[in-house]
Amino acid sequence: MSHLAQLLLAFKEARAAEDATISVLCTDNVPGNGDAIAEAVAAYLEERDAGSDAVDWVQSHVVFHNSMVDRITSHREGDPDVPSTEPLPAKALVFEDIDGVLPASLAEQPGVLIRRFPGEIDEDHELKLCIANGIHTASVYALALSGLADTKAFREGAEFSGILTQYVDSVFLYDILPALRAKLSSSEEEIREVYEDWRARLRHPHFGLGSFFITQNSTIKLQVRLWPTISRTLRSGQMPSSFMAFAVAAMLRFLMSEGASRVSKTKMVGRVCVPVRTHSEAMYAGKRYNLAQGWYEFEDGDGATSAALPDLGPISHHQACPSVKQLCASIAMVLDKLEPKMEGPRYTLFIRRVAETLQKILRGASPMEVLAEVVDEDLDAVIPRSREAGAGKLADIIQEEARRVTVIDVHTHLFPPEFGELCLYNVDELLTYHYLVAEFFESSDGIAPADFYALPKQEQADLVWKAIFIERPPVSEAARGVLTLLRRLGLGAAMNSRDLGPVRAWFADQDPIRHAERTFQLAGVKYVVMTNIPFDAKECPKWDARIPFNRDMFKTALRVDPMLMNDWSTVSTAVQEAGFEATVEGCIEYLRHWADIYVPEYLMASTPHNFDYPVTKNAPDVPDLVGEVLVPFARERSLPLFFKVGAVRALNPDYRMAGDGIEVADLGFVTYMCKTNPDLKFFVTVLSRDNQHELTVLGNKFRNLHVYGCWWYCNNPSIIADTTKLRLELLGPNFTAQHSDCRVLEQLLYKWDHSRVILAKAMIEQVEDVAKTGWPFTRRDLRHLAHRIMGGGAYEDFMAKKL
Ligand code: FIX
Ligand code: ZN
């Protein structure tokens, strides 16, 4: 501190800050760090220069900003000198600047936030302590005891990643979120954002800290990271969850020493539950651990916590395991010391839960086994209705399940990155999505569609950006979508600066295959179904070249619109060009040829305007392509027919792709098809809201009909909400609630993000009403519901159904 004080004095003497203010920015991790430094500097100056004006000068010329730093960088595997990289946290650096002396440009830096109001930064600290740090502290003792030496155990694909993630999600949902919701002025959304940011880091492939390293200073960490949540929960009259009881039990088990092998008064030796044969001795913060031999040195602070707990020595003989009562007494000794002090029946019950969990571990169950049990019990526990107080009510759980379920997307226009230019991604493609282009024509300052389309893509994108996002407030669903997805990609700061340059540069940097994988993962999409068109001149060569791609991510669909339209001229030309005869049999051969290449999920078409079937007006020499080709072929290959009903193509031809309209369709043909082909399966979605009711009833009348998706002009929150509620009421969990129709890869992010929220709302309304009857819904039921209507459960069920 003396150096800083001397430096400031030097500035004073050099008159360096006559008209300016000096900002001292701390990058340590202590709350109130600016205030503490200000005090220390003042104390130093007073002592050194008593009577001088130095203290006054510092007070009037220097601002010591309180700050919060959140950047934990571990090192590259095998090379301690190279820092590992992870995505920038949303709040990497937060500075308090009540007087507004910091330059505005600082806040434009990615990850930097400026807090201008007193108390704001305290909320940032509280959020970080209770969420990020709290989650770490709730996890690492169980990890260390399980021989998992670092938090890489959370990464996708790691052995316990699934269960650990469910665990921390639950600690957040049941304990941390409600406690913070009651205490802070931040909105629930803000609190959730902090958690999601942290969760993504914890699971990120380049993130991971030593579990033992994080176990340090355990008693203090229990006090500052978990106890605020536990005590607030108890004070609000609620019970901490069984997950929180597990967190405390695991920590206390870690702090139980082998007794005899105490290294010093405060340094002790503990024993892991699951040794790791391949491990060699390692160090953390001046202490050693050896997972092969199963021991670790640790300190709990002053030794008092461990002293309150039974020694591990005698417990190794199973009979000697302390009773729950004995454990309760020990645990109470530890928890009674924490502030604020707790008492009362709920506190006693919480201690009992911790003791029971601890006893299971002491009796030989591994922490991961015990955790699996906790997760399982939670899945089968009856969930309280939302009108009842506390966390983990129906609404919370449904939102959570809808947020986390991995979805399948049954109809898109996406292509795998291996298909080159057909795989659309990046901000220019996003801005020239036809939904936005149509909005642009509504708002544009006179540019004719033909002139617009004549421009290069980037210029089109610039015009759309300017018209929809800069010159007018972006409020439509399609515009909101762009903003959502840019933020989800971590481009929020660039986007808010309204400059497309950095955004374009970011996209240009992406490796398409990695970018696609990451986008699927971020959007929580398991697979998408493409739209594969044998009549398409751009797509055919990709298939002719047999380009390999990831079929687990991209499934195929054989699109046959010209056949459905009975467009004999297009069909016969294509069939002949492919080397088959222009006959009914030739058409079927043609479909066989493409089906063998694609291996499609279904045959699909968008029914033309005024479509009707059976058709009466065909020319006598033209075959009935639906009845003679499509239907027999679908039967031969057991392929469902997948229809999209109600688009009026080229309603405004000048708008080109953005010019399709909508009609209220006659669904008579759906009834006819379902009735006359009871052995064939049909999927149907409609474009007009006015057709939704009728279609839902048809879904209720025909066991070979599956209703899916809210398509295009129905893919707006207000319509999705109504439609989904209606479907739940009439069809139960037997429909596929949504498909995205994405054309540009990153749209998966917004279309699914938005849908998850709105589908959850519809489920909540319906399930709450059912729950009023007293039906005991469990979390397993609600997970099942989300899986059926969003995760492909109902779709795959229908596909497998025997007719
Ligand atoms: O027929 C379709 O598959 C439609 O989804 C498209 O034609 C339409 O352009 C679209 O992208 C709607 O979302
Ligand atoms: Zn489509």
Side-chain angles (χ1 to χ4, degrees):
M1 215 52 67
S2 57
H3 290 148
L4 175 62
Q6 284 159 18
L7 180 69
L8 293 173
L9 283 183
F11 283 140
K12 174 178 181 284
E13 268 141 44
R15 297 175 172 266
E18 279 311 288
D19 309 313
T21 307
I22 298 171
S23 279
V24 175
L25 302 176
C26 312
T27 51
D28 64 27
N29 223 352
V30 183
N33 47 12
D35 298 339
I37 291 174
E39 248 176 65
V41 166
Y44 173 87
L45 292 176
E46 254 158 36
E47 200 182 307
R48 205 192 93 152
D49 284 335
S52 84
D53 65 345
V55 174
D56 288 348
W57 185 88
V58 166
Q59 247 170 27
S60 53
H61 288 81
V62 185
V63 177
F64 298 87
H65 298 265
N66 289 322
S67 70
M68 185 187 87
V69 184
D70 187 8
R71 200 80 176 99
I72 318 174
T73 312
S74 60
H75 59 77
R76 183 189 284 180
E77 222 135 329
D79 191 344
D81 295 331
V82 182
S84 191
T85 47
E86 52 141 343
L88 191 70
K91 294 182 188 176
L93 272 171
V94 184
F95 293 114
E96 187 174 51
D97 186 25
I98 311 286
D99 304 325
V101 297
L102 291 176
S105 58
L106 191 60
E108 281 163 21
Q109 302 308 309
V112 176
L113 293 172
I114 309 284
R115 300 302 188 204
R116 303 216 183 275
F117 300 100
E120 272 191 296
I121 200 165
D122 301 336
E123 291 226 357
D124 292 312
H125 275 295
E126 185 110 20
L127 286 165
K128 177 169 166 273
L129 266 182
C130 292
I131 297 177
N133 299 339
I135 294 284
H136 249 171
T137 293
S139 314
V140 289
Y141 299 95
L143 295 187
L145 291 169
S146 306
L148 301 165
D150 51 52
T151 59
K152 287 178 202 154
F154 278 94
R155 291 181 189 173
E156 196 104 21
E159 186 182 357
F160 296 110
S161 160
I163 193 153
L164 284 169
T165 307
Q166 280 194 48
Y167 165 55
V168 296
D169 284 349
S170 301
V171 174
F172 174 72
L173 182 72
Y174 293 128
D175 298 276
I176 300 174
L177 173 65
L180 288 175
R181 207 158 44 184
K183 166 87 192 329
L184 301 185
S185 56
S186 308
S187 67
E188 169 156 350
E189 208 175 311
E190 285 168 301
I191 301 172
R192 281 189 178 282
E193 269 178 25
V194 175
Y195 176 64
E196 293 304 321
D197 187 53
W198 173 247
R199 187 184 194 267
R201 290 167 73 193
L202 202 53
R203 289 164 58 79
H204 191 270
H206 294 162
F207 189 70
L209 291 184
S211 310
F212 285 90
F213 184 80
I214 307 168
T215 63
Q216 293 178 82
N217 304 325
S218 41
T219 311
I220 298 173
K221 282 180 175 162
L222 174 61
Q223 169 71 68
V224 300
R225 296 177 168 196
L226 296 184
W227 196 246
T229 298
I230 297 171
S231 57
R232 275 173 206 152
T233 308
L234 289 167
R235 285 199 159 174
S236 69
Q238 304 297 317
M239 272 301 292
S241 72
S242 46
F243 297 97
M244 188 55 102
F246 174 84
V248 176
M251 172 187 261
L252 296 183
R253 166 60 186 79
F254 182 90
L255 297 177
M256 289 168 73
S257 78
E258 291 202 306
S261 34
R262 196 173 268 267
V263 180
S264 69
K265 184 171 175 292
T266 56
K267 201 188 244 186
M268 287 152 277
V269 175
R271 198 170 53 243
V272 302
C273 304
V274 189
V276 186
R277 274 183 227 303
T278 50
H279 192 264
S280 53
E281 198 162 307
M283 292 288 290
Y284 76 104
K287 291 172 280 288
R288 298 175 305 147
Y289 64 100
N290 188 322
L291 292 181
Q293 294 168 7
W295 57 265
Y296 53 90
E297 294 173 353
F298 70 95
E299 278 171 297
D300 66 350
D302 57 5
T305 305
S306 294
L309 297 166
D311 280 348
L312 271 179
I315 299 171
S316 51
H317 316 289
H318 282 190
Q319 319 77 307
C321 184
S323 66
V324 167
K325 202 168 159 209
Q326 284 167 321
L327 289 172
C328 281
S330 302
I331 295 165
M333 274 170 73
V334 176
L335 301 188
D336 282 352
K337 286 202 192 137
L338 304 173
E339 290 294 339
K341 295 211 181 308
M342 287 293 124
E343 54 185 21
R346 280 195 193 83
Y347 178 49
T348 312
L349 187 57
F350 176 62
I351 291 179
R352 196 180 165 81
R353 282 201 184 157
V354 176
E356 285 165 355
T357 314
L358 180 56
Q359 198 191 45
K360 281 186 193 159
I361 305 177
L362 291 173
R363 288 211 159 124
S366 75
M368 290 302 138
E369 280 163 5
V370 175
L371 190 52
E373 241 177 70
V374 177
V375 167
D376 234 41
E377 276 166 19
D378 176 57
L379 276 180
D380 291 320
V382 176
I383 303 173
R385 282 172 49 204
S386 301
R387 70 174 158 80
E388 288 156 36
K393 297 163 298 179
L394 276 178
D396 296 327
I397 302 294
I398 292 173
Q399 276 170 15
E400 179 73 4
E401 295 301 333
R403 175 179 292 113
R404 304 283 175 223
V405 63
T406 305
V407 300
I408 66 163
D409 199 335
V410 298
H411 168 74
T412 71
H413 298 264
L414 299 177
F415 286 100
E418 292 83 352
F419 278 34
E421 72 291 351
L422 292 189
C423 168
L424 303 186
Y425 71 99
N426 80 37
V427 72
D428 294 326
E429 298 295 352
L430 289 163
L431 288 171
T432 52
Y433 186 36
H434 64 84
Y435 293 26
L436 284 168
V437 170
E439 185 181 336
F440 167 76
F441 290 141
E442 273 164 58
S443 61
S444 73
D445 308 313
I447 181 163
D451 297 336
F452 174 82
Y453 284 118
L455 296 170
K457 176 97 8 114
Q458 184 165 328
E459 285 177 38
Q460 292 178 11
D462 282 335
L463 285 179
V464 172
W465 177 249
K466 190 159 148 272
I468 296 183
F469 295 83
I470 306 297
E471 290 177 349
R472 296 166 186 81
V475 289
S476 67
E477 176 62 9
R480 174 184 164 223
V482 173
L483 303 178
T484 297
L485 69 89
L486 288 178
R487 206 167 127 266
R488 287 281 264 127
L489 289 168
L491 298 168
M495 163 184 98
N496 291 347
S497 73
R498 301 180 177 212
D499 175 6
L500 286 182
V503 178
R504 285 198 171 108
W506 185 89
F507 280 104
D509 252 11
Q510 302 307 307
D511 166 70
I513 293 183
R514 284 254 209 84
H515 180 53
E517 285 167 356
R518 176 160 176 255
T519 306
F520 272 56
Q521 201 221 339
L522 269 180
V525 175
K526 185 168 154 203
Y527 64 79
V528 304
V529 182
M530 304 182 263
T531 298
N532 305 107
I533 312 177
F535 306 95
D536 186 295
K538 284 198 202 116
E539 194 184 334
C540 279
K542 307 286 179 194
W543 291 102
D544 288 340
R546 300 292 190 273
I547 296 173
F549 63 94
N550 186 343
R551 281 185 179 261
D552 292 335
M553 281 168 71
F554 293 89
K555 307 227 178 239
T556 54
L558 203 174
R559 184 156 183 160
V560 289
D561 290 39
M563 288 197 177
L564 200 80
M565 283 190 253
N566 230 65
D567 177 354
W568 182 240
S569 128
T570 304
V571 172
S572 57
T573 312
V575 165
Q576 280 171 316
E577 274 174 11
F580 304 100
E581 278 181 29
T583 59
V584 163
E585 186 49 31
C587 291
I588 293 183
E589 276 296 322
Y590 175 79
L591 291 181
R592 282 188 191 123
H593 167 79
W594 282 106
D596 288 343
I597 295 174
Y598 293 165
V599 195
E601 292 274 297
Y602 49 70
L603 298 174
M604 78 151 293
S606 167
T607 58
H609 179 47
N610 286 338
F611 178 70
D612 198 11
Y613 190 81
V615 193
T616 43
K617 45 193 178 300
N618 273 349
D621 51 340
V622 170
D624 165 11
L625 291 174
V626 175
E628 295 177 58
V629 176
L630 281 183
V631 166
F633 179 69
R635 189 163 284 131
E636 174 186 312
R637 293 286 174 112
S638 300
L639 284 171
L641 287 152
F642 195 94
F643 293 133
K644 305 180 82 67
V645 181
V648 178
R649 299 295 174 191
L651 180 72
N652 180 350
D654 291 348
Y655 278 27
R656 300 194 195 168
M657 200 174 184
D660 294 344
I662 185 173
E663 66 171 357
V664 181
D666 178 352
L667 298 185
F669 85 94
V670 176
T671 303
Y672 177 85
M673 287 285 203
C674 291
K675 251 192 193 168
T676 51
N677 302 289
D679 59 329
L680 284 189
K681 291 178 185 167
F682 298 91
F683 286 86
V684 178
T685 199
V686 287
L687 193 52
S688 165
R689 181 184 203 151
D690 292 357
N691 279 130
Q692 294 291 4
H693 187 221
E694 188 183 351
L695 174 67
T696 312
V697 173
L698 290 178
N700 182 253
K701 294 304 131 207
F702 293 104
R703 56 194 293 273
N704 57 340
L705 172 61
H706 187 83
V707 174
Y708 74 93
C710 296
W711 178 32
W712 200 352
Y713 302 118
C714 281
N715 196 15
N716 296 314
S718 58
I719 302 182
I720 301 170
D722 280 0
T723 307
T724 308
K725 182 83 188 340
L726 173 70
R727 289 172 177 176
L728 284 166
E729 287 163 353
L730 273 166
L731 302 172
N734 305 304
F735 63 97
T736 297
Q738 196 50 306
H739 73 277
S740 74
D741 235 300
C742 287
R743 287 179 178 269
V744 187
L745 178 66
E746 302 85 3
Q747 288 167 342
L748 285 173
L749 291 167
Y750 95 78
K751 297 214 184 198
W752 280 107
D753 263 26
H754 292 186
S755 286
R756 284 172 193 273
V757 174
I758 205 81
L759 296 177
K761 273 196 191 148
M763 285 190 272
I764 291 168
E765 270 187 41
Q766 191 61 15
V767 170
E768 285 281 5
D769 281 345
V770 179
K772 282 183 196 150
T773 64
W775 181 261
F777 279 106
T778 64
R779 187 158 181 179
R780 203 183 290 280
D781 294 330
L782 301 176
R783 184 165 295 177
H784 192 186
L785 174 59
H787 173 67
R788 283 195 67 83
I789 71 169
M790 300 168 73
Y795 171 86
E796 283 161 8
D797 228 22
F798 180 75
M799 283 294 218
K801 185 172 181 175
K802 284 210 165 55
L803 291 177

